Amino acid sequence: MKKVSWIALLMIGLIAFTAVAGQITLRYWMWDPSIKAKVQTAIDKFESLHPNIKVELTTIEPRDYWTKIRIMASTHKLPDVFNMSSGYIEEWSAKGLLLDIQKYVNTDLNMSDYFESLFNMAKYPKNTGDIYALPFAWVTPVLFFNKTAFDKAGLSYPNENWGWCDFLNAAEKLTVRENGKVKQWGFWLYGRYANIEPWIYRNGGHLLSADKKRFAPDKNAIKTMEFLTKLVTTYKVAPKKKDMTGVRPQDVFPLGMAAMWVDGSWNIENNRSLVGNKFKWGIAPVPVGPNGSKNVIYAWPDMVAISSYTAHPKEAWELAKFLSGPGLTLDMYMAGKIPSYRPLAESKAFLEKGKQPAEKGILLQLGKDKMINSFTKGWSEWRGYGAAEGLGLNGALDAVMNGEMTFQEAMQKVMSYANKVLSRYYK
């Protein structure tokens, strides 16, 4: 018996030695230190399922993430797996920085477990090429509305059949003036992408040429932007941006200063924090324009990508697959961010019964629609963010709504500027 036991122990030791000797290490970078402990728990679980893989987790503050990871890319030292933005898929794929994972997706992923439209945004060339990243969360703009204000005005709540006329009628009745001053605006917007683009796509419009290389808003996009700016300049149901100085844009609605607002679903978290029990509020799909479809939405995912330089592509795929689906838990998501992995998104817990908004299930319905966005190389420049703050489409629309420029002047200016930017990226 003793001889048998020694042999068994020897075999166990040999197996353990072999496992350690064959162990590889993957580096994973992500951009949300606030959930580091939860991600580490997921990694611990992954390592227990894959004893031959060790994962080194690095979390970086969002404001520093892209600076640091671009340095790693420029020195060919990218981590094996890392978080990736929809806005950079085209640029990073074109530079050969991301691993083409199409063959893994084809053979090792059950697509029915995911909101499939999201994968179109991970393709290079755009919408038609191979897949270069796995979506793990997505967001879409919605119409936030103050139920208490609607009740007081005797209005029915917005629904999926709402059009521009329904919206404008409500905005006019919700704009409350006392002694010549506005006590409550019907709506709030400025030139921000999440305030503008959802209306354009829900009116059948496009901002870019078919090849996505030129700023070329079509007539539906022009009509939409004109309608939105008129909410401030003509209908006077929304304030000028310059008159809201001192208030964070994301706080105008939850502070009760405006009764409606279109912005990203991730604002649910901030709304809950600021509104508390002061008033009831809900969400609805963005109203459909006269030339649009209610089956189209503006949306984009956050993703996990694999470095093209990784020495362990199969193991990196296993990690990326785990961190975009079965390895995640709902407590890793801020309210309003939707898991790409449907078993998680469609769980009862996601709906958060008893919390505002009561209509959170609308987000899951919108996930079945066609998703569009306008990300290109140089997007932040022509749209007017980062170093280009105040320029681009953002600055042009703000100038119109602030009464500093006509709509026609703004369009001429942004056409010239945006196409000058895009021509640098698409030569």
Side-chain angles (χ1 to χ4, degrees):
M1 286 296 289
K2 283 186 176 178
K3 185 177 180 182
V4 173
S5 297
W6 276 109
I7 291 174
L9 288 171
L10 186 62
M11 290 298 293
I12 292 171
L14 182 61
I15 292 170
F17 173 79
T18 303
V20 171
Q23 190 175 68
I24 60 104
T25 298
L26 296 176
R27 292 177 300 137
Y28 170 48
W29 280 28
M30 55 89 73
W31 55 40
D32 189 355
S34 71
I35 59 168
K36 181 176 182 179
K38 293 167 185 171
V39 175
Q40 186 59 59
T41 299
I43 287 174
D44 292 344
K45 185 177 178 182
F46 175 80
E47 289 177 336
S48 70
L49 295 170
H50 302 274
N52 63 318
I53 305 175
K54 174 73 176 172
V55 180
E56 290 180 357
L57 170 64
T58 299
T59 59
I60 299 172
E61 290 290 344
R63 64 177 178 274
D64 300 324
Y65 182 82
W66 290 105
T67 299
K68 292 186 176 181
I69 205 162
R70 282 185 185 280
I71 292 172
M72 300 299 278
S74 67
T75 55
H76 292 195
K77 293 179 181 176
L78 276 172
D80 300 276
V81 179
F82 53 97
N83 285 14
M84 189 68 209
S85 165
S86 305
Y88 295 136
I89 284 288
E90 183 182 11
E91 175 192 346
W92 284 53
S93 300
K95 289 180 177 177
L97 298 170
L98 307 183
L99 183 71
D100 182 340
I101 59 172
Q102 186 68 58
K103 66 178 181 181
Y104 295 111
V105 171
N106 290 345
T107 59
D108 196 30
L109 210 63
N110 182 358
M111 294 296 280
S112 64
D113 281 344
Y114 297 82
F115 293 98
E116 286 194 42
S117 291
L118 299 173
F119 285 86
N120 288 331
M121 302 178 196
K123 290 180 178 178
Y124 177 76
K126 212 167 208 176
N127 296 323
T128 58
D130 285 349
I131 294 173
Y132 282 82
L134 289 174
F136 67 87
W138 63 280
V139 291
T140 184
V142 293
L143 175 66
F144 295 96
F145 64 97
N146 183 326
K147 290 183 176 177
T148 302
F150 269 71
D151 291 342
K152 196 171 181 179
L155 293 165
S156 300
Y157 295 158
N159 58 49
E160 63 176 2
N161 296 317
W162 251 36
W164 288 4
C165 290
D166 303 299
F167 163 79
L168 182 56
N169 176 57
E172 288 173 335
K173 291 181 177 174
L174 290 164
T175 300
V176 180
R177 292 180 171 82
E178 284 185 3
N179 301 321
K181 292 185 177 180
V182 175
K183 184 180 178 184
Q184 172 188 276
W185 290 101
F187 188 58
W188 159 236
L189 84 163
Y190 63 107
R192 173 178 162 77
Y193 68 102
N195 291 186
I196 304 297
E197 272 83 330
W199 292 88
I200 291 174
Y201 294 124
R202 300 273 282 180
N203 189 36
H206 293 279
L207 284 174
L208 301 166
S209 58
D211 62 4
K212 311 291 183 188
K213 295 180 180 178
R214 286 190 310 110
F215 181 76
D218 61 18
K219 62 180 182 181
N220 288 339
I222 293 289
K223 185 173 182 178
T224 305
M225 290 187 283
E226 203 165 18
F227 171 72
L228 292 174
T229 56
K230 282 184 176 179
L231 294 174
V232 178
T233 61
T234 302
Y235 304 119
K236 301 189 185 304
V237 297
K240 298 175 181 175
K241 185 187 177 188
K242 67 181 182 182
D243 291 341
M244 304 303 279
T245 303
V247 182
R248 294 194 313 166
Q250 65 268 36
D251 294 346
V252 171
F253 173 80
L255 288 175
M257 301 172 77
M260 293 188 289
W261 173 45
V262 166
D263 208 299
S265 52
W266 63 87
N267 287 288
I268 286 175
E269 188 98 2
N270 187 55
N271 286 354
R272 283 178 179 168
S273 174
L274 289 187
V275 175
N277 295 319
K278 294 172 189 166
F279 60 82
K280 294 180 180 178
W281 56 280
I283 60 172
V286 175
V288 179
N291 299 306
S293 163
K294 63 181 180 181
N295 297 319
V296 175
I297 63 168
Y298 179 53
W300 61 96
D302 289 334
M303 307 191 198
V304 179
I306 299 171
S307 166
S308 60
Y309 305 124
T310 182
H312 310 290
K314 290 182 180 177
E315 291 83 357
W317 162 257
E318 290 297 332
L319 179 60
K321 183 176 65 171
F322 191 75
L323 292 176
S324 62
L328 301 178
T329 52
L330 280 177
D331 60 1
M332 294 178 177
Y333 293 83
M334 65 185 296
K337 278 210 169 188
I338 307 126
S340 306
Y341 189 59
R342 294 180 66 169
L344 195 58
E346 294 172 352
S347 64
K348 287 184 179 177
F350 174 78
L351 299 176
E352 299 184 290
K353 292 289 186 184
K355 290 185 177 181
Q356 298 194 82
E359 305 84 1
K360 207 173 165 197
I362 285 174
L363 298 175
L364 303 181
Q365 291 298 317
L366 294 174
K368 299 173 184 175
D369 294 336
K370 180 181 179 181
M371 300 181 183
I372 301 177
N373 64 48
S374 53
F375 292 128
T376 65
K377 296 177 188 177
W379 175 86
S380 62
E381 281 187 63
W382 67 261
R383 199 56 187 76
Y385 293 98
E389 187 74 38
L391 299 173
L393 185 58
N394 196 348
L397 292 176
D398 284 347
V400 176
M401 290 187 273
N402 283 336
E404 299 160 352
M405 196 179 289
T406 67
F407 183 79
Q408 289 72 24
E409 289 170 342
M411 286 300 106
Q412 287 176 3
K413 183 177 179 182
V414 74
M415 284 283 280
S416 172
Y417 173 79
N419 282 318
K420 193 176 292 182
V421 170
L422 287 167
S423 66
R424 279 196 281 110
Y425 289 93
Y426 299 101
K427 294 179 179 175

